[in-house]
Amino acid sequence: MRHLFTLAVALLIFAAPVRAQYDQSPQDGGLTLSMGQPPTISWQGGLMLSAYNLSEDGKPGVALDLGVGKDLMSPVTGAGRMSLEGYAGIRGDEFDGGLRGMFLIPFFSLGAGVDYNFNTSKFNGVVRFFAPLKRGGMLGRGTQFRIDWLPGEGTFNFGVSIPLRRPLVGRTRPRQIDTRLPSEEPREVGYAQVEPAMQEALANVAETAYWINRFTSPFIDQGGSSYGQAIGAFTDDMEELKAHLASTSPLFPDGRSSEAEVRVYHQELTRAFSIAASGWALAAGESTPLGLEVAAQAKEILLDEVIFPYNHLLGVKKKTDTLLGLRGEAARTFREWLVSDSAVPGERHDAVVHVLERVVEIIEEQRWFSRQWWSDSRLVWIPLQYGLLPEQHDSQQELDAIVERAVGREFTSGNRVWYVVNAQFQWEVTKSIERAEDYHVLWIHDIKWMNAAGDPDRISFHQMVGAYLQTLVRRVKEYDETGVLPVYMIFFDQHYYEIFKSRRWMNLLEDPLEHEVEFPPEFAIMADSLARVQEALRTAVAESRLLQERTAEFGEEWLKNQVKVQVNVTYPADHSFWANQAFPILGWPDNVMRDHRKIAFYDITEDDPYKGRVIYSGMGIGEHYVGPTWEDRAIMLQGPAALDMKDAARQLLLDQGFSEEQIPYPLKPRPKAPDYDEKVQAMMAENLGGARAMELHSQTGYLPKLINVLKATLYSLMPRGSIMVIPDSLWNGSFLASLLVGSCMRGGRVFIINPSKQNAPGQAFLTLSRAQELYARLIIIQEMFADEIAASGGMLKTGLYDVDVDVADVPGRLKHVADGFEANPWLLEVVPLTQEVREDFANAAEF
């Protein structure tokens, strides 16, 4: 028992959390907390119950174990891990203990190894199965259920494994992978005396609602046992749409189109409400003024209570996937309006509410159809045309208002927005570090220790590491005067952190005063440069009177926490998060879902909308991103919209397991300054209003995807004549492509561009294969519906971006543009460049 007690005490010591002060500014003695970097070696404890060959009167036992493990490759993959464990306990009334060496494959939740028992002095093989049983751990905190089988002695161990000294394990992903929509409510006795004319009108609403759904996001992701079978099923579905467009009926005497379906839907919906409000038998196409008013209010309620709430969850798994739970609240809101603000006679209220409830049922039928088509609740989109006519979303103001309702955020005015090309991005990040006075955040997925040749990356060293260290030297020298050291934070997804050995840079940034980096001999210049700047930093710290006084007051830990970069490796490998499966081998690990955001921002504050700025980019830090073939853009933002960046960064830390009290001081929310709005108005007056902007994020994994909600809203509503250019290989989803096809059916001009293999940022076989499959279907649609798209005033063009001209060769690039216009005259319909401009482009090298 003495050995068991000692092991229990060791477990408690290793599990003890790290504590720090959070209620003060760092300058006042508080510590800024960071996630830090994942440990290279991790500790694990456990409690095991043993059944020792019970068929032969063996005695059960109990033991505590303690292990240390190291991943053999990136822990994100879960492909291999070595573990050395010791255990001690009792078997019956005797002490039992031993050692185990294990090879584990977390991805498959399996392991095998060798056990040496002190009592028997024997080696035995051991096979292990381990699983969290529920997301975040069977007992929370990443705990895992474990079974060890020792076939040589007929022993089974059952128990729980506990991660030690890793307080955020089991807290870095959501515990639920889906959201619950309200369940269907019991309905009161509905309206029983449905007039035949109302029933006919609602039948027409149901039919047109079906075709609106088909034309808004036509299903283009048919499968099959072979490529030919899949294309055949796809072609059959497209032929059905084409045949429908060629048909006529009493409601469509002039033929059908995507817009015609929408207009007849609204016509018949208004007719149904007119009949319900008046009791009159109206013919197709007829309505009353009161019916128009009631229908308009009903459609607003449908949008606000049913359609927008559901569409807001695009990209999110839904456990109770139904609209009928939203019907009750919509009906209650509608009935309140009927009683308080409408001229509908009281005896007709039930009839009017019945129409609303039936329309929700019709929309629910379409939701069900879409769910069957896409086979995934995350890809179901309710057409906004069920509540909007084309003239209600054909201006910028109308679209802005709809977008705000769809995403639940507001546009802000008075922003400054501008582009920088890829060659400027690294420099802009460096300048942002140097300019930061209060704090700086680099939110990135890729900071390279080594370049493609395996050597230390020069751009990472000079533009990022050098910028941080030299800026720290300058800020420390100014400390006696300012009393402030900026807080520097890096949010760095673990996947590329592991691949590109970024720990070497991060270790230095976390401890710039003492950490030493070993460089290959041929990079002695780098080593000398780093040694000089570190010595300059140590000298500046030693010579700062105020810094030394505060160190004497708050301690050396405070000093180290001030003169550093707070490195936060986010979404660390955590094998306790699987897709809601009791046995992970049957599920899907969260580790494959990465945070791919690339952002830098500094000094954004509620005190002054124009003090800091944000850089949004598609690039990481490294030589790879400044080469002749990498082409990208970054967007610079300054103004009120940037304030949301603080909220997004704070939300990231909360998602990673931080509490509100642990949020770093600069990211805590504060009230806006009294003159905040005045500064915005002054800027707008000086710069003719500035830009309207809204910041949205698609969060990682099972969290909300508001950017997709924005895309789907715009793709499905952009008015006739709009031009949409989609130049990103990462848009390659059949669902978004289907919305773009629907747009060109309504008169939109859609240009979908995919990089060729040599220009693609990702060379993965599955990505390229998926792009090829999708492009084949888009080309079929382009040819099959050429007449119908042209009749609507739309255009659908697919193309490859295949440029072999150096990014920095501006004359060559301009000539390439001129050649493109020469080879594709239809481009002038979209971008009406004059002949003179095209000639200047072609001859740019002569200037």
Side-chain angles (χ1 to χ4, degrees):
M1 291 300 295
R2 177 174 58 84
H3 300 283
L4 195 61
F5 175 77
T6 301
L7 189 56
V9 171
L11 289 180
L12 290 174
I13 292 173
F14 275 106
V18 178
R19 299 187 179 275
Q21 293 177 277
Y22 311 115
D23 58 343
Q24 296 173 300
S25 161
Q27 314 304 330
D28 297 328
L31 295 181
T32 296
L33 181 70
S34 67
M35 292 181 65
Q37 301 178 72
T40 54
I41 296 177
S42 58
W43 293 86
Q44 190 94 357
L47 174 66
M48 305 296 295
L49 301 176
S50 303
Y52 293 93
N53 202 3
L54 294 182
S55 62
E56 300 179 6
D57 299 325
K59 298 178 180 179
V62 60
L64 290 171
D65 63 25
L66 180 65
V68 60
K70 180 176 177 58
D71 289 284
L72 302 180
M73 53 191 71
S74 170
V76 173
T77 65
R81 179 177 178 81
M82 293 300 298
S83 175
L84 179 63
E85 305 165 4
Y87 60 92
I90 54 175
R91 180 193 301 197
D93 55 0
E94 298 178 355
F95 168 76
D96 185 40
L99 296 173
R100 285 190 186 132
M102 300 292 298
F103 175 73
L104 308 172
I105 307 178
F107 187 88
F108 293 114
S109 298
L110 295 173
V114 177
D115 174 275
Y116 178 77
N117 189 274
F118 294 150
N119 283 8
T120 63
S121 300
K122 291 182 179 179
F123 288 95
N124 284 288
V126 56
V127 178
R128 174 172 296 172
F129 170 78
F130 51 98
L133 298 187
K134 66 177 184 178
R135 289 179 60 80
M138 61 177 294
L139 303 176
R141 300 288 184 168
T143 50
Q144 303 229 8
F145 173 69
R146 196 174 92 194
I147 301 175
D148 289 346
W149 175 42
L150 284 73
E153 62 178 36
T155 299
F156 283 92
N157 298 332
F158 306 87
V160 59
S161 294
I162 308 166
L164 302 178
R165 298 191 67 81
R166 296 163 65 194
L168 297 181
V169 172
R171 299 172 60 188
T172 58
R173 276 82 168 176
R175 299 296 292 271
Q176 299 294 328
I177 67 171
D178 45 36
T179 187
R180 290 179 178 270
L181 285 161
S183 300
E184 181 178 1
E185 297 181 4
R187 295 179 62 188
E188 300 177 0
V189 177
Y191 181 65
Q193 300 175 344
V194 180
E195 291 84 350
M198 183 197 299
Q199 190 169 354
E200 178 190 65
L202 287 171
N204 291 334
V205 168
E207 181 185 357
T208 52
Y210 171 78
W211 290 108
I212 289 170
N213 195 18
R214 290 291 303 273
F215 284 115
T216 300
S217 54
F219 182 56
I220 61 174
D221 200 20
Q222 293 79 0
S225 58
S226 67
Y227 178 78
Q229 190 179 73
I231 288 294
F234 161 73
T235 305
D236 288 345
D237 280 356
M238 295 302 102
E239 289 286 4
E240 182 185 5
L241 292 179
K242 187 175 179 69
H244 180 75
L245 287 173
S247 66
T248 60
S249 75
L251 287 174
F252 298 90
D254 299 324
R256 299 176 185 266
S257 67
S258 180
E259 182 176 323
E261 297 286 350
V262 173
R263 293 198 177 279
V264 171
Y265 164 89
H266 284 271
Q267 166 194 295
E268 291 302 284
L269 183 60
T270 302
R271 176 190 172 201
F273 277 114
S274 296
I275 295 169
S278 66
W280 301 343
L282 302 175
E286 294 182 341
S287 62
T288 67
L290 181 58
L292 285 167
E293 179 186 346
V294 172
Q297 183 64 30
K299 287 185 282 189
E300 286 297 301
I301 291 173
L302 282 172
L303 287 168
D304 287 336
E305 303 288 355
V306 179
I307 298 175
F308 282 134
Y310 188 90
N311 284 349
H312 192 80
L313 300 175
L314 181 68
V316 176
K317 294 176 72 71
K318 305 166 187 70
K319 191 162 189 177
T320 51
D321 189 14
T322 178
L323 297 174
L324 296 182
L326 302 171
R327 177 178 57 185
E329 186 60 34
R332 281 189 289 271
T333 303
F334 193 37
R335 193 176 289 276
E336 289 174 3
W337 177 82
L338 288 171
V339 171
S340 61
D341 294 321
S342 81
V344 178
E347 65 271 16
R348 302 302 301 176
H349 285 186
D350 287 346
V352 173
V353 173
H354 168 77
V355 173
L356 178 81
E357 292 181 329
R358 176 63 189 127
V359 173
V360 176
E361 291 172 357
I362 289 170
I363 298 174
E364 165 62 14
E365 291 167 6
Q366 298 314 310
R367 182 213 61 79
W368 185 87
F369 284 136
S370 294
R371 177 67 175 79
Q372 303 310 305
W373 291 333
W374 295 103
S375 301
D376 193 331
S377 65
R378 292 173 294 183
L379 300 180
V380 177
W381 178 257
I382 308 300
L384 296 170
Q385 284 81 356
Y386 291 155
L388 296 168
L389 281 159
E391 55 267 25
Q392 292 178 292
H393 53 86
D394 61 357
S395 70
Q396 186 68 57
Q397 293 76 15
E398 289 169 339
L399 279 172
D400 284 357
I402 293 167
V403 165
E404 289 178 337
R405 294 167 72 183
V407 301
R409 306 288 289 273
E410 293 184 356
F411 283 97
T412 62
S413 298
N415 297 286
R416 298 172 180 142
V417 180
W418 65 100
Y419 274 114
V420 295
V421 298
N422 59 315
Q424 295 174 282
F425 170 71
Q426 314 286 337
W427 180 83
E428 287 289 352
V429 171
T430 298
K431 297 303 292 184
S432 69
I433 294 170
E434 295 172 350
R435 291 171 178 150
E437 298 177 356
D438 300 320
Y439 71 95
H440 183 279
V441 173
L442 179 60
W443 188 341
I444 203 80
H445 83 295
D446 188 357
I447 302 174
K448 296 178 183 292
W449 155 256
M450 59 182 184
N451 58 22
D455 297 327
D457 190 281
R458 292 175 174 83
I459 293 295
S460 293
F461 178 73
H462 293 293
Q463 300 293 114
M464 193 270 296
V465 174
Y468 277 120
L469 297 183
Q470 291 171 11
T471 302
L472 276 172
V473 171
R474 179 165 59 87
R475 294 301 184 186
V476 169
K477 289 181 176 179
E478 297 168 351
Y479 189 71
D480 286 354
E481 180 180 348
T482 65
V484 174
L485 284 176
V487 178
Y488 301 98
M489 292 171 272
I490 293 177
F491 300 153
F492 193 174
D493 183 276
Q494 188 178 2
H495 176 64
Y496 287 106
Y497 164 89
E498 299 287 352
I499 291 176
F500 295 114
K501 314 298 182 186
S502 303
R503 185 185 297 273
R504 298 194 185 188
W505 291 141
M506 298 302 107
N507 285 341
L508 169 63
L509 294 178
E510 280 198 311
D511 186 15
L513 290 171
E514 297 181 7
H515 184 76
E516 296 182 0
V517 178
E518 294 185 8
F519 290 92
E522 60 271 29
F523 290 87
I525 294 177
M526 275 191 183
D528 292 343
S529 174
L530 178 60
R532 286 195 298 272
V533 72
Q534 284 186 285
E535 183 58 32
L537 182 59
R538 286 189 283 266
T539 300
V541 169
E543 292 178 351
S544 170
R545 176 187 52 78
L546 182 57
L547 202 55
Q548 293 302 318
E549 288 180 359
R550 290 186 169 178
T551 301
E553 179 180 359
F554 301 125
E556 289 292 331
E557 182 183 4
W558 175 87
L559 175 64
K560 285 191 172 184
N561 195 263
Q562 292 287 290
V563 187
K564 67 178 292 190
V565 177
Q566 307 288 338
V567 176
N568 298 266
V569 177
T570 60
Y571 293 100
D574 189 339
H575 297 284
S576 67
F577 285 101
W578 287 72
N580 206 28
Q581 298 284 344
F583 299 97
I585 194 171
L586 302 177
W588 189 250
D590 282 27
N591 283 342
V592 302
M593 295 179 283
R594 314 310 314 168
D595 188 345
H596 218 253
R597 285 170 281 192
K598 294 166 277 287
I599 305 167
F601 66 96
Y602 67 96
D603 290 355
I604 295 170
T605 173
E606 293 85 350
D607 295 332
D608 184 348
Y610 303 107
K611 181 176 182 182
R613 65 177 59 171
V614 190
I615 311 170
Y616 306 93
S617 180
M619 291 164 280
I621 305 294
E623 295 176 30
H624 174 64
Y625 298 102
V626 297
T629 60
W630 188 274
E631 182 164 3
D632 216 320
R633 300 289 184 275
I635 297 176
M636 309 288 288
L637 170 68
Q638 189 177 45
L643 193 57
D644 288 335
M645 199 64 249
K646 277 185 63 176
D647 296 335
R650 184 167 60 252
Q651 186 61 53
L652 173 67
L653 293 177
L654 293 173
D655 292 340
Q656 298 301 290
F658 278 49
S659 67
E660 288 284 0
E661 292 74 23
Q662 293 171 325
I663 296 298
Y665 181 81
L667 298 180
K668 290 181 182 290
R670 299 199 305 272
K672 289 182 180 177
D675 63 345
Y676 187 94
D677 292 335
E678 293 178 12
K679 291 179 179 178
V680 175
Q681 294 300 322
M683 183 274 177
M684 293 174 63
E686 181 180 347
N687 293 276
L688 301 178
R692 285 172 55 77
M694 174 192 293
E695 187 192 78
L696 296 174
H697 293 251
S698 282
Q699 295 174 258
T700 304
Y702 297 105
L703 295 170
K705 310 291 185 222
L706 291 186
I707 291 178
N708 287 344
V709 177
L710 170 69
K711 284 183 178 181
T713 301
L714 292 177
Y715 288 2
S716 64
L717 289 185
M718 291 293 281
R720 181 193 302 271
S722 299
I723 298 172
M724 286 190 282
V725 180
I726 317 297
D728 188 349
S729 62
L730 300 181
W731 70 273
N732 282 333
S734 295
F735 169 72
L736 290 177
S738 76
L739 290 173
L740 291 168
V741 171
S743 178
C744 70
M745 295 282 195
R746 294 188 303 274
R749 292 178 284 177
V750 177
F751 306 91
I752 300 172
I753 305 168
N754 196 75
S756 65
K757 183 175 180 180
Q758 73 172 22
N759 289 99
Q763 301 291 335
F765 167 77
L766 290 178
T767 303
L768 296 174
S769 175
R770 186 62 166 160
Q772 189 277 336
E773 176 185 339
L774 188 55
Y775 259 61
R777 300 186 185 206
L778 290 172
I779 291 170
I780 291 172
I781 291 173
Q782 185 176 326
E783 295 176 351
M784 182 182 293
F785 290 92
D787 293 340
E788 291 82 358
I789 292 173
S792 72
M795 186 182 291
L796 175 61
K797 296 288 186 180
T798 55
L800 289 177
Y801 181 77
D802 188 26
V803 179
D804 56 4
V805 182
D806 193 311
V807 171
D809 182 4
V810 176
R813 290 264 162 163
L814 291 175
K815 185 177 186 306
H816 190 80
V817 171
D819 293 344
F821 275 90
E822 191 70 27
N824 302 280
W826 59 266
L827 281 170
L828 292 172
E829 300 177 35
V830 184
V831 185
L833 292 182
T834 65
Q835 179 68 29
E836 182 181 9
V837 170
R838 299 200 303 276
E839 290 177 357
D840 286 344
F841 280 8
N843 301 316
E846 299 176 5
F847 292 96

